[in-house]
Amino acid sequence: TVPLKSAVGGKLMPFTEKYIRPLAVAVIRYQGKILAVRGVDHVKNEVFFRLPGGGIEFGETAEAALKREFAEEFGVEVKIGRRLDVTENVFSYEGRAGHEIVFVFEAFLPDEKSCFPEGLPFAEPGMEGKFAEWITVAPDVLVYPEAVRQIRF
């Protein structure tokens, strides 16, 4: 296992070059935008966005993982809607190969008060002052996994 530092706050991004990582991520819409987490790949000199969510643990459903990740990362309870897609994401990040199976769900924040104009603040220790941002999916904005672009926003 080779944990890599993610572009978001330097926290560990647990993927390895030899294993497929199952993930659950959310499409949360607000005023024509979606919630996304900014990242940077220094090797590719690339700024990108990922849908919020995280890894599915053994014995955990994708829906349960998504709820857990939002509680851990943002301190909010999300309502999970319909599954929008399941996609395979083969990629490189910081010069290392990664491979994910990604469950993409529509999700909803508990109320409009959670939809801060600047985004959703992280609640995790060490992530103070960082936000998931509201972005517009446009041709010049990199959003991963790439299959997300096929979802109607």
Side-chain angles (χ1 to χ4, degrees):
T1 301
V2 181
L4 299 175
K5 289 198 179 234
S6 83
V8 182
K11 77 180 203 181
L12 292 179
M13 183 171 170
F15 72 84
T16 70
E17 292 183 326
K18 295 184 181 182
Y19 298 97
I20 299 172
R21 181 177 182 226
L23 293 176
V25 298
V27 173
I28 298 177
R29 298 174 179 96
Y30 178 66
Q31 296 183 346
K33 297 183 179 190
I34 64 166
L35 192 66
V37 178
R38 181 185 299 261
V40 177
D41 185 322
H42 296 95
V43 172
K44 294 185 224 173
N45 195 29
E46 172 182 278
V47 174
F48 62 90
F49 291 91
R50 275 191 73 96
L51 296 178
I56 302 169
E57 296 176 1
F58 184 81
E60 185 177 47
T61 66
E63 294 93 337
L66 194 53
K67 286 185 170 206
R68 177 184 49 76
E69 287 287 343
F70 267 82
E72 289 173 1
E73 293 181 2
F74 302 106
V76 298
E77 185 176 326
V78 292
K79 179 181 174 195
I80 307 299
R82 63 192 169 97
R83 188 177 69 214
L84 301 173
D85 198 8
V86 177
T87 187
E88 189 170 21
N89 187 29
V90 178
F91 63 97
S92 72
Y93 174 72
E94 296 292 10
R96 300 220 180 218
H99 192 166
E100 303 167 331
I101 302 297
V102 186
F103 292 80
V104 183
F105 290 92
E106 181 176 44
F108 306 90
L109 294 173
D111 55 43
E112 287 236 348
K113 293 178 197 162
S114 302
C115 298
F116 299 100
E118 64 274 15
L120 188 62
F122 279 93
E124 275 186 306
M127 298 293 286
E128 296 83 6
K130 301 203 181 310
F131 289 81
E133 306 171 37
W134 298 109
I135 66 164
T136 301
V137 177
D140 61 336
V141 178
L142 292 174
V143 180
Y144 295 120
E146 290 180 3
V148 168
R149 292 188 166 285
Q150 297 170 9
I151 297 170
R152 297 187 77 177
F153 297 105

